[in-house]
Amino acid sequence: MPQLQKANRLIGRSLVLRNATVADAGFILSLRTDKRKSKYLSYTSPEIEKQIMWLTNYTAKSDQAYFIIEDKLGGEIGVVRLYDQRNDSFCWGSWILKNNAPQSAAIESALIIYAYAINHLGFNQAHFDVRKDNQKVWLFHERFGAMRIGETADDYLYQIGLKEITASLRRYKKFLPAPIVIEDYDES
């Protein structure tokens, strides 16, 4: 049975996904409270203390992995999270990129998440939801092969299987031409 777990760093072609720490609270809060980006997110308190508390609790748990997306020089450009394991399926979301992120950052960060979850952790599928108004993102997921399986008042619900994920990893190989490098998480 696969299991969600943190990694210190996931290294791709031009991006690094680094495990989030309490020191990242200000950056995360700046993304989650950005007026344009937050309209597609669940509410986040603008109080830094609450973000620090959330990250402190995250550090102590093992049921999710929250990453800061960086360029190879260590410049922070976004965040993404894996959570809500359901048997061999993982959910991913809380995916936000800065406005000035490289154009290829969305596709490469998605490929890194899928490569990590499928090839390293052993998951066979993913599930997630996207706000109905966030057409750019749900179209992105549908191009990857995600199938809309339901909806709520606010969200479309998606699932993507191993076959579609593997096909997307091949189809978009130019964005992630080599296997990712994984630096495992060390809790000590």
Side-chain angles (χ1 to χ4, degrees):
M1 170 74 83
Q3 186 165 347
L4 280 174
Q5 68 184 97
K6 300 171 186 169
N8 187 40
R9 292 173 9 125
L10 307 176
I11 303 168
R13 180 182 60 87
S14 63
L15 297 179
V16 174
L17 276 58
R18 173 183 57 75
N19 188 48
T21 68
V22 172
D24 297 308
F27 174 67
I28 294 168
L29 194 60
S30 74
L31 290 175
R32 293 195 61 88
T33 58
D34 176 281
K35 287 196 187 303
R36 274 189 44 223
K37 296 181 182 302
S38 65
K39 67 182 176 180
Y40 302 124
L41 303 173
S42 56
Y43 172 77
T44 299
S45 169
E47 298 174 40
I48 190 76
E49 296 80 13
K50 289 189 177 183
Q51 188 65 56
I52 290 169
M53 187 183 327
W54 191 95
L55 285 162
T56 300
N57 289 335
Y58 159 76
T59 302
K61 294 181 179 180
S62 61
D63 62 344
Q64 58 185 307
Y66 197 23
F67 296 104
I68 303 299
I69 303 168
E70 298 179 331
D71 61 29
K72 287 278 180 123
L73 299 174
E76 299 166 328
I77 60 172
V79 294
V80 66
R81 184 167 66 108
L82 283 77
Y83 59 102
D84 189 32
Q85 178 174 349
R86 298 179 192 164
N87 298 315
D88 69 344
S89 182
F90 70 97
C91 183
W92 71 284
S94 304
W95 187 34
I96 314 168
L97 295 170
K98 286 172 55 173
N99 293 331
N100 63 348
Q103 232 179 358
S104 62
I107 194 161
E108 185 177 348
S109 61
L111 292 168
I112 291 170
I113 288 297
Y114 283 130
Y116 178 60
I118 300 301
N119 300 331
H120 183 70
L121 300 179
F123 286 94
N124 290 315
Q125 57 186 320
H127 60 277
F128 47 88
D129 55 81
V130 181
R131 291 280 192 253
K132 290 178 177 179
D133 293 341
N134 200 353
Q135 182 179 16
K136 183 177 175 183
V137 171
W138 57 257
L139 285 171
F140 175 92
H141 287 299
E142 289 177 4
R143 280 192 298 275
F144 256 73
M147 299 295 301
R148 192 179 298 172
I149 59 168
E151 62 184 88
T152 66
D154 296 325
D155 300 322
Y156 290 129
L157 309 176
Y158 285 92
Q159 184 170 359
I160 185 169
L162 183 59
K163 178 180 167 189
E164 293 79 17
I165 293 169
T166 303
S168 287
L169 287 166
R170 277 194 311 269
R171 181 180 325 124
Y172 300 113
K173 188 176 179 106
K174 74 178 187 178
F175 296 99
L176 195 63
I180 61 172
V181 174
I182 301 164
E183 293 179 1
D184 283 328
Y185 182 69
D186 180 12
E187 294 186 64
S188 57

